[in-house]
Amino acid sequence: MRHLIDDSLPLTVKLLHHLASLALSDRPLLAHRAAFLARDLVTSHLKAEPELACSVIARHVDREPEMLSSHRGQVAYRDACNRAAHQEEKARAVMDLHRAVLEGDVKRTAAVVMELLGRAVPDGASLSTVRDLLAAEDSEPLCKFLASTIRTEWRNANAHEDFRWDPVNSTLLLSGQPTDLEQVLDAAIRARAVCHGFEHGVALAYAQNAPLIIWGAEEANYVGRDLSILQAAGESRFPVLDIRRNGSLVRLDVPDISVETLREACRALLRAALADPSIERWELRQTSPGRPPLCVDRTGTHAGLQVAEPLWELADPLPFAVLPLLANAMTNAGEPAETAVSTVLCLAAAHVVGERDRLLPALAQDDSAAKDELISTAKLISDGAKAAAQLLEGPARRKLLAFAEVLAGDCHRLRSARAFELAHEFVPADRVLRRHAPARLPWVTALDDSAG
């Protein structure tokens, strides 16, 4: 896919996503050709009339909510097609898919292409009119490519419910004419690949001509913000299967969370909260039935970000920022305050003890750098525990604050100690770990197996 972009262009997460999507297309050669043609078309107009080209694409982006709705519908129709137990069921799913692709993707893509060429597709134009307008642009290969995806006789039969599956002859009848069902399905998939390729080609053109792009002052619509959230999760290396909104709540469908992936889940939540600060509540819904969702509200993300923000450029903030997130998530899961504080104490103490043991060989050699690293880590754990304590009430808050203060006191006292002396310090963390292990994480089942 490198031949689609300049060698000097950095491979950002967004650009990699477009290239990977092209490679994974149901019809990769068709998608690739559409992307190539779209890239060249948009690039030429960006160089000739950047303001006009950018305004056309911006109006197209404004329709992302409709595009997403159409995409979800197409996925549902494709799933229904694959699950169909009888050909009659499959035939209706295929016709639904064909209608959604042509009336949605093809019409929208054609309107953008024609507008870039200085033409217009009338509002409410029929597919026959769209095809004729595209075919008239015989010098533009992308128009010919799009026109080739439109079979108006199939669409008309669909629109008038003039189709059925003939079980006697095992064929699809469109306006009484026998038609190969697989051919209609292939046409829908082909048209979808062409339109998706166009979208990727526009993105490639924008990436390669960044200095020419004129960005408007409009705020991103919710689909754009969803994409930013998904990109934040991707940068955190945490997979997300789907994203849904309900007002100020965002639900992310994710693979089952394990002890090993819990930190990445929290990292994704923090970066997602930065990507869309308007969200009041985040919900990670796991794949397996019976596993409770991990829910963090704005209070939790705000506390976690306060701990994390000074550290993003210096170190991984998650061992420390995860503590207030988990305190908030435990509360939202309905766990008693005593259970929540026990979990936070266990994880905080485990990190201090783990870091001390990891640095033990260097400390034994009286390595001052190892001493500074351990004290710095313990101090950050203390800060995270204090932030988590503010999200709890009563005895649970006091218990967590007491541990944080003891930890901070040890850090202050040990700054004047020799490095080798720290090998046997932070004893309160050892005691807390023995008392509160193992941590209770209500989102993780088979905890002992995962930990092992």
Side-chain angles (χ1 to χ4, degrees):
M1 290 295 177
R2 284 293 306 194
H3 61 281
L4 281 171
I5 57 175
D6 293 334
D7 289 337
S8 60
L9 198 63
L11 288 174
T12 63
V13 170
K14 185 177 292 187
L15 190 55
L16 283 170
H17 164 75
H18 286 288
L19 294 174
S21 297
L22 278 171
L24 295 173
S25 170
D26 288 324
R27 299 290 186 273
L29 295 181
L30 291 174
H32 181 278
R33 183 183 175 202
F36 186 87
L37 294 173
R39 183 204 64 183
D40 288 355
L41 176 68
V42 174
T43 295
S44 67
H45 284 80
L46 282 173
K47 291 179 177 178
E49 298 179 283
E51 188 170 349
L52 175 61
C54 290
S55 67
V56 170
I57 299 301
R59 286 192 292 275
H60 183 51
V61 170
D62 286 341
R63 300 196 65 188
E64 281 180 329
E66 289 84 357
M67 294 164 66
L68 176 61
S69 177
S70 179
H71 170 74
R72 291 191 188 282
Q74 292 169 29
V75 170
Y77 296 141
R78 188 79 184 272
D79 287 346
C81 177
N82 293 334
R83 293 195 310 267
H86 304 284
Q87 287 295 94
E88 185 175 5
E89 297 172 1
K90 181 177 179 179
R92 180 157 293 277
V94 168
M95 295 305 290
D96 284 340
L97 176 63
H98 187 264
R99 170 190 51 77
V101 173
L102 265 68
E103 292 289 346
D105 291 1
V106 173
K107 270 191 174 181
R108 274 190 298 270
T109 304
V112 177
V113 172
M114 294 299 291
E115 197 170 352
L116 284 170
L117 296 173
R119 312 287 190 268
V121 175
D123 292 340
S126 68
L127 275 170
S128 179
T129 300
V130 172
R131 184 193 60 188
D132 292 345
L133 289 170
L134 290 169
E137 301 296 326
D138 54 6
S139 63
E140 177 49 60
L142 186 55
C143 290
K144 289 184 178 180
F145 204 16
L146 282 167
S148 72
T149 67
I150 301 175
R151 294 283 297 268
T152 54
E153 68 275 18
W154 291 354
R155 177 65 190 107
N156 290 339
N158 198 350
H160 297 290
E161 278 290 312
D162 192 8
F163 71 89
R164 67 179 177 87
W165 177 256
D166 179 356
V168 176
N169 296 300
S170 297
T171 188
L172 176 67
L173 296 178
L174 298 180
S175 299
Q177 297 299 313
T179 308
D180 186 345
L181 178 61
E182 294 302 320
Q183 189 178 358
V184 179
L185 175 60
D186 183 73
I189 295 172
R190 179 179 183 275
R192 195 164 183 249
V194 169
C195 294
H196 287 184
F198 172 82
E199 300 293 336
H200 298 310
V202 172
L204 294 175
Y206 264 48
Q208 290 189 173
N209 298 278
L212 300 176
I213 308 303
I214 301 170
W215 299 103
E218 301 85 1
E219 290 187 5
N221 57 51
Y222 75 87
V223 177
R225 297 197 299 275
D226 284 355
L227 291 174
S228 295
I229 290 169
L230 293 175
Q231 182 174 338
E235 290 172 347
S236 302
R237 299 186 177 184
F238 184 70
V240 173
L241 307 177
D242 197 5
I243 179 170
R244 299 281 180 160
R245 282 180 182 254
N246 185 7
S248 60
L249 178 145
V250 165
R251 187 193 77 202
L252 302 176
D253 289 348
V254 302
D256 290 345
I257 298 170
S258 67
V259 174
E260 294 80 7
T261 62
L262 181 60
R263 183 180 294 185
E264 281 65 40
C266 291
R267 188 194 316 277
L269 282 175
L270 287 179
R271 290 198 176 275
L274 287 173
D276 191 348
S278 69
I279 301 306
E280 295 283 348
R281 186 177 177 89
W282 301 87
E283 179 181 304
L284 302 187
R285 191 176 72 168
Q286 304 185 72
T287 301
S288 295
R291 282 201 170 201
L294 190 157
C295 301
V296 177
D297 56 44
R298 187 196 290 270
T299 304
T301 56
H302 179 71
L305 287 173
Q306 282 191 315
V307 176
E309 280 175 341
L311 302 171
W312 286 118
E313 303 300 326
L314 302 174
D316 181 5
L318 261 295
F320 329 112
V322 75
L323 300 178
L325 257 67
L326 289 180
N328 181 253
M330 295 284 287
T331 301
N332 290 335
E335 295 290 336
E338 186 59 34
T339 303
V341 74
S342 178
T343 294
V344 175
L345 282 169
C346 177
L347 296 176
H351 196 73
V352 174
V353 172
E355 283 298 288
R356 183 197 61 198
D357 292 348
R358 181 181 69 83
L359 294 168
L360 200 58
L363 293 171
Q365 297 296 319
D366 206 22
D367 187 334
S368 60
K371 167 195 155 181
D372 293 341
E373 182 179 352
L374 179 56
I375 290 175
S376 175
T377 297
K379 179 61 172 64
L380 289 169
I381 288 291
S382 172
D383 294 341
K386 286 179 183 176
Q390 300 307 315
L391 306 184
L392 302 173
E393 301 290 340
R397 173 184 287 188
R398 292 193 292 272
K399 187 180 294 186
L400 194 49
L401 280 175
F403 174 73
E405 289 167 1
V406 168
L407 204 55
D410 278 353
C411 291
H412 180 73
R413 174 176 60 82
L414 293 170
R415 290 193 185 282
S416 59
R418 295 283 298 275
F420 70 86
E421 297 178 273
L422 271 67
H424 304 290
E425 289 291 347
F426 296 106
V427 174
D430 288 301
R431 288 198 295 264
V432 166
L433 182 58
R434 285 194 298 269
R435 180 175 180 181
H436 294 282
R440 163 151 175 82
L441 300 168
W443 318 281
V444 179
T445 59
L447 183 61
D448 292 337
D449 292 341
S450 297

